[in-house]
Amino acid sequence: MSDTHLSEEQRMMRQSCREFVDDVVLPFIRGNWQREWDMNPDGRLPPDILEGAERVGIRALGVPEEFGGIELDRGSEVQTFAMISEEIARGDSGLADKLVQNWKVAVLLRNLAPRHLQEKWFARLVAEPSFLMAHCLTEPRGASDRWLPYNVPEAAMTTRAVKQGDHWVINGRKQFISNGYDAGLYVVYANTNPAVGMMQGTSSFLVPRDTPGLTVARCNETLGCRFMNNGELVFEDMRVPEDHLLVESDALGKAGVYFRPGKIIQAAKNLGVGVRAFEVTADYVQNYVQGGRILIKHQAVALRLADMATRIEAVRALLARAARAVDDNDADADTLCNMAKVYASEEIMKVAQHAVELHGGNGMMLDFGVEKLFRDAAIFLHMDATVDISKLKIVKSMFPHTAGKYAGAEA
Ligand SMILES: Cc1cc2nc3c(=O)[nH]c(=O)nc-3n(C[C@H](O)[C@H](O)[C@H](O)COP(=O)(O)OP(=O)(O)OC[C@H]3O[C@@H](n4cnc5c(N)ncnc54)[C@H](O)[C@@H]3O)c2cc1C
């Protein structure tokens, strides 16, 4: 990858991430492939991996310098997030998921949380290498449709928050939450006005893990990205102090500070998985002999490699354009970051398919390790909106008066 556009700081960060991945993450993954399948979620990723991320200075990105974080140049912050997410996901996309969730929630907190809560939670994040944060929107009865124009009461969240004195009382549940199993702090979205559409009636709250009424109900056993512990949460008369309200009523609109960088980071992690699939495949086809010749000498094999490389570069180009648009706050940033996210998920899935096919039988063997990239790639089709919903969002942002209008009852 050409790095002429990178600043000196970005180049140094990329180099230290690459060394961390090559020297620590990849040897761990190669040497411990069974750890992914440990049914005790706490036992999967050893703490020294997150401590290693701390040493290279990438754990608390997004935290302002005044609270002990490492401040990135705001004019290229999202581009730097993308660069680092790609590097880490090249090593392991579950580890990348764990880390990026902290960056995304940190950006949300620095924009929306009261100062005394920023002081408190940024201090913990900076001090504890295993401290994680989570962002909880998805519920059993709705997720994707939240982002369509179905701004009607019947599509609103079923998790409810009601003000009682100086507390909010929250009841409901959230599912499929990244870091949901082991986070120390959650951002939770709940309906605070059932009479209106969700864009006007959803509020967000800061919920510490030890809040009475919060239960971490389970850790989901995911197909890929298994070193990130995805969890389910239940809230039963959970009482949250009133100062823990982040945004009242229009929390979904304000979540753009989370979702725009979030989509870029998703696409970048996805790219990292594709780059690793290409690396291992390029190595394999130049060493593995079949039919008396190394595989790459067979033209069908060589063509597939070209296809992998082309898809990766196309994803990289769109991602770079979208990340710049988010940093520059361009008018088409929303459209572009949805495009980058959904395009990466479909293209890198094909890259991963080529990778396992070119490895033949070895591509299907757990101990060989290539199938992991295929499983990890599949997760991206479903994370942060499905493929179809992402495409609907793109067309909605381009044609708000036609594609962007609810197809149900006429207003
Ligand atoms: C690994 C992983 C991590 C995740 N992390 C988080 C997280 O940190 N926080 C969080 O809040 N959520 C998280 N999610 C949830 C994720 O955002 C949702 O899974 C995703 O938005 C899809 O929602 P769903 O699973 O409810 O699918 P559904 O909405 O039930 O979709 C099922 C199918 O129906 C289609 N569909 C649904 N509604 C419509 C519609 N109105 N019009 C047309 N088609 C429709 C979808 O495209 C899909 O094909 C995570 C998911 C995964 C897999």
Side-chain angles (χ1 to χ4, degrees):
M1 175 193 164
S2 149
D3 59 3
T4 45
H5 62 286
L6 297 181
S7 68
E8 192 52 34
E9 185 197 21
Q10 286 173 319
R11 215 167 284 148
M12 280 164 56
M13 285 186 90
R14 191 177 65 174
Q15 190 53 35
S16 48
C17 286
R18 203 163 277 181
E19 285 165 11
F20 168 57
V21 165
D22 288 338
D23 300 344
V24 178
V25 181
L26 286 172
F28 166 76
I29 299 287
R30 271 200 301 269
N32 299 275
W33 64 267
Q34 301 95 329
R35 288 280 283 258
E36 241 194 303
W37 303 103
D38 185 341
M39 287 298 136
N40 169 19
D42 298 315
R44 284 179 201 144
L45 194 71
D48 55 304
I49 300 278
L50 284 177
E51 285 158 17
E54 172 71 25
R55 278 194 297 281
V56 290
I58 54 169
R59 218 182 44 81
L61 296 181
V63 175
E65 212 165 71
E66 60 171 319
F67 299 116
I70 295 178
E71 193 114 16
L72 300 173
D73 172 10
R74 291 276 171 99
S76 56
E77 184 179 52
V78 176
Q79 294 167 78
T80 308
F81 283 163
M83 182 191 76
I84 299 172
S85 309
E86 178 194 334
E87 289 297 330
I88 302 298
R90 186 178 72 84
D92 179 68
S93 76
L95 170 65
D97 283 346
K98 262 188 146 83
L99 292 169
V100 304
Q101 215 51 24
N102 280 359
W103 311 346
K104 294 193 288 181
V105 177
V107 170
L108 188 90
L109 295 189
R110 83 177 184 222
N111 278 286
L112 302 175
R115 190 178 166 86
H116 68 285
L117 292 179
Q118 290 192 36
E119 270 168 13
K120 176 175 175 175
W121 292 106
F122 285 148
R124 281 206 53 191
L125 174 61
V126 167
E128 298 172 30
S130 58
F131 190 84
L132 297 174
M133 301 196 287
H135 190 256
C136 316
L137 273 162
T138 307
E139 299 181 347
R141 294 288 300 280
S144 305
D145 51 321
R146 299 271 137 69
W147 308 107
L148 290 173
Y150 300 178
N151 190 24
V152 288
E154 58 268 31
M157 288 190 179
T158 49
T159 296
R160 271 285 273 138
V162 178
K163 186 88 186 284
Q164 280 183 9
D166 56 3
H167 278 71
W168 288 88
V169 178
I170 304 181
N171 282 283
R173 61 186 306 144
K174 298 286 174 184
Q175 67 180 7
F176 307 151
I177 306 303
S178 298
N179 289 346
Y181 178 76
D182 35 23
L185 184 66
Y186 300 88
V187 174
V188 172
Y189 291 73
N191 184 342
T192 43
N193 184 355
V196 295
M198 61 194 138
M199 295 307 289
Q200 290 76 37
T202 306
S203 303
S204 56
F205 301 87
L206 215 48
V207 179
R209 187 187 181 88
D210 58 3
T211 305
L214 166 65
T215 307
V216 178
R218 57 177 276 173
C219 181
N220 291 312
E221 294 304 335
T222 51
L223 176 74
C225 303
R226 289 186 55 80
F227 287 111
M228 179 271 288
N229 292 329
N230 187 282
E232 311 270 330
L233 308 169
V234 175
F235 317 125
E236 289 165 307
D237 290 331
M238 179 174 77
R239 289 172 64 78
V240 176
E242 64 183 344
D243 66 348
H244 283 50
L245 171 76
L246 291 178
V247 179
E248 187 160 11
S249 303
D250 63 338
L252 290 177
K254 296 266 171 57
V257 290
Y258 173 92
F259 278 110
R260 282 179 170 201
K263 302 276 176 203
I264 298 298
I265 287 170
Q266 280 298 114
K269 282 186 293 165
N270 207 169
L271 177 61
V273 173
V275 167
R276 184 66 189 153
F278 184 80
E279 279 175 0
V280 294
T281 308
D283 184 57
Y284 188 76
V285 298
Q286 295 185 80
N287 288 292
Y288 191 81
V289 174
Q290 195 69 274
R293 294 285 180 275
I294 53 171
L295 282 178
I296 199 169
K297 296 274 186 189
H298 303 298
Q299 286 179 345
V301 169
L303 294 184
R304 279 189 188 249
L305 212 59
D307 191 67
M308 291 171 79
T310 308
R311 288 178 200 274
I312 287 170
E313 286 306 323
V315 169
R316 186 184 295 295
L318 178 56
L319 174 62
R321 164 140 165 66
R324 222 171 24 249
V326 176
D327 274 331
D328 295 347
N329 207 16
D330 285 351
D332 56 358
D334 252 358
T335 314
L336 282 165
C337 56
N338 277 302
M339 286 177 174
K341 187 267 174 201
V342 69
Y343 186 68
S345 69
E346 294 194 303
E347 292 303 288
I348 301 300
M349 195 68 235
K350 289 180 195 137
V351 168
Q353 184 183 340
H354 282 317
V356 288
E357 287 193 59
L358 287 177
H359 279 79
N362 282 330
M364 291 295 113
M365 303 305 159
L366 292 186
D367 59 341
F368 204 88
V370 172
E371 52 69 49
K372 174 180 182 293
L373 296 162
F374 186 75
R375 290 185 286 107
D376 287 347
I379 294 287
F380 289 90
L381 300 167
H382 309 267
M383 244 172 143
D384 230 344
T386 62
V387 165
D388 292 342
I389 297 297
S390 297
K391 289 179 181 168
L392 286 166
K393 282 195 221 174
I394 291 167
V395 75
K396 174 189 161 191
S397 67
M398 295 171 77
F399 301 102
H401 300 298
T402 46
K405 285 281 182 260
Y406 184 30
E410 287 295 330

